Amino acid sequence: MGRSASNSGLNPPGLIVERPSIVDGVVEVSGRVAEAVGCCPDCGTPSSSCHSRYVRTLSDLPNSGAVVKLRLSVRRFRCQQRSCRRKTFSEPLAPNIGRRHGRRVARCDGLLHAVGLALGGRPGSRMMKRLAVPWSKDTLLRAVRREAATAGPAPAAKVIGIDDFAWRHGYSYGSIIVDLERRTVIDILPDRQRDTIMFWLKQNPQVRIICRDRGPGYGAAAVEAAPQARQVADRWHLFENASAAFLSAVRSELPQLRKALSPNTPVDPAILSKAERIQWEAAAARELVNEQILALAAQGIPLKAMARTTGLSRQTIRTIVRGQRHDIFPARQSSLDPWLVQLEAEWTGGCHIGAELWRRLRASGFAGSLRVVGEWATRRRRDDQHGQPSGPSLSARTIARGLTVERDSGSARIALVNAAIEAAAPELIAARNLLDRFHAMMRSRDAARLDPWIASAKASKLASFAVGIEADKDAIAAAITEPWSSGQVEGKINRLKLIKRQMFGRANLDLLKARVMAAA
């Protein structure tokens, strides 16, 4: 049996509530439209002649955790215009009550749209059940798409950033375009093809600044489709490319560096850990292949012929010919990297116990495990015992880090290694100095130093990087002087990836665009 319910807050404006009640835990609100007449949707003639009535049920927002249903007694009117083809029509609901053929009250659309944007389909549907409004995933996605379809076009942007993102990593990519002045996503393109980018740029001739990465695709499309726009290379990618070029230079000098760091003592497999011994054996096998490739290159055999003969890829053969595949112990990013200076200081101070080192790092905020610190202490103790660094300390990445970011850390061990490298490989030190000059030029925003730097770098170990800088010199000069960068674009791509993964990577372009652009 039904119980009387309060009328307060249940009826939207324009309705007359007649019989609110609670039946089986569901709040049912019976009512009717307050208007006395209705207008024909075809001819617009008002009519008060009632033909019949029927009940229309609409879902409403929950009330105190209970599901609310609005049951309206809707009239059908006779059209009073004899020439009208429509003889009867249902009385229309006000826009604040509901849409034609809709099954919920209009004030529910805001909740639907917000939950659909934040959670998507299935997660949003599960949340709606907890909110006592059990709407399906398809209803949520339709609300998101409907709102996106009714939204107006994005404002015209004069300063944009463009970059790619992966639909499927390694197979297909899309493009995201960000208005850098308003910090919003203005479009998402289905691919990164040159024709697609050119079409978009031709549709937006007001663009004056284009921030992009150093890949050739976006730059070539901008040159042809938007000659009026100035291209700006991304500064973060420039720093990253410079570091990668210096790391390649270190790899090319590794054989000579090993002789300088341990002139009389080769690597002894007996003092290596099991993991390091596996790396050492794999490196020995790679060196045999390297010698074979270098011998073929000395005979003048082209890369394609060597690839067919050896079964290696051309990229691998090119790396060997450049002398960049001699790394025995390749280093990976470690959670200890930010704490190496403190570790060295504690070790120099006399603390040689791994557990105690770990406790001291934990007190300073280190979140890694005891095993990581214990392995570092074991390697450090072994290096001191044998009088030479072995294992991962001889990797190209470790040497490059010691020559650059860690050279002023005050570690005596790093200073000794750097002194040996300076005596054995002066070309590498010259490349390091050029890297410092490049960083200083970028930070000082002095574009006048670009041409002298290119001229100096083309005769050094950074020659390939300098050639790439020269080919894209205008965009590099703009990156030095302009305040714009692609940092905002990278942030939007991270958010796009999060939204795409929430939908398990199955989002269509229109739905992904609706969620990303609305959330912006």
Side-chain angles (χ1 to χ4, degrees), residues 41-278:
D42 287 353
C43 63
T45 303
S47 174
S48 59
S49 176
C50 182
H51 175 273
S52 59
R53 299 175 184 268
Y54 68 95
V55 176
R56 182 176 173 181
T57 304
L58 303 176
S59 298
D60 202 351
L61 294 176
N63 183 24
S64 300
V67 178
V68 177
K69 297 290 185 181
L70 186 60
R71 301 190 181 277
L72 297 181
S73 176
V74 181
R75 295 167 291 180
R76 294 191 66 86
F77 291 104
R78 297 182 180 88
C79 182
Q80 301 298 315
Q81 183 62 254
R82 294 183 177 273
S83 60
C84 182
R85 297 179 58 185
R86 186 183 295 269
K87 301 305 179 184
T88 63
F89 60 91
S90 299
E91 63 177 330
L93 300 181
N96 66 306
I97 300 176
R99 298 186 311 274
R100 186 180 184 185
H101 307 303
R103 301 182 63 181
R104 60 182 175 273
V105 179
R107 61 188 176 188
C108 299
D109 291 340
L111 177 62
L112 268 174
H113 185 245
V115 174
L117 284 180
L119 300 177
R122 285 187 176 89
S125 178
R126 291 193 291 268
M127 176 60 71
M128 298 305 282
K129 288 181 181 178
R130 287 180 172 270
L131 296 176
V133 274
W135 291 316
S136 68
K137 61 181 181 65
D138 294 326
T139 301
L140 289 166
L141 298 183
R142 278 196 301 268
V144 173
R145 285 188 165 107
R146 183 185 302 111
E147 188 70 21
T150 56
K158 295 182 179 180
V159 182
I160 66 169
I162 184 169
D163 205 347
D164 57 9
F165 66 92
W167 290 110
R168 185 183 176 193
H169 190 71
Y171 290 90
S172 58
Y173 292 84
S175 298
I176 184 171
I177 302 175
V178 179
D179 183 347
L180 299 183
E181 291 182 304
R182 281 182 284 267
R183 298 176 176 267
T184 57
V185 179
I186 57 176
D187 208 348
I188 296 178
L189 305 181
D191 54 52
R192 58 179 180 183
Q193 298 298 321
R194 181 177 177 179
D195 292 341
T196 304
I197 307 303
M198 289 176 56
F199 178 80
W200 192 93
L201 290 174
K202 290 179 180 178
Q203 296 296 318
N204 294 268
Q206 78 283 349
V207 174
R208 291 294 177 265
I209 299 290
I210 301 176
C211 293
R212 56 168 178 81
D213 59 17
R214 295 190 59 224
Y218 294 128
V223 167
E224 187 169 348
Q228 79 284 353
R230 188 180 189 187
Q231 300 183 41
V232 180
D234 182 41
R235 284 189 289 274
W236 183 89
H237 283 96
L238 287 172
F239 282 102
E240 179 71 13
N241 296 153
S243 300
F246 181 70
L247 180 60
S248 298
V250 173
R251 288 198 174 105
S252 67
E253 293 288 331
L254 269 183
Q256 184 177 352
L257 294 180
R258 288 204 185 93
K259 293 178 182 179
L261 296 175
S262 54
N264 299 318
T265 308
V267 176
D268 184 4
I271 67 173
L272 300 179
S273 66
K274 183 176 180 180
E276 293 169 356
R277 191 177 301 113
I278 293 174

Side-chain angles (χ1 to χ4, degrees), residues 73 87 145 214 225 237 290 297 324 336 389 423 461 484 488 507:
S73 176
K87 301 305 179 184
R145 285 188 165 107
R214 295 190 59 224
H237 283 96
N290 293 350
Q324 298 174 0
L336 275 180
K461 287 284 186 180
W484 308 106
Q488 295 182 45

Side-chain angles (χ1 to χ4, degrees), residues 15-26:
L15 289 183
I16 298 176
V17 175
E18 297 174 337
R19 199 169 53 255
S21 62
I22 300 177
V23 180
D24 296 331
V26 178

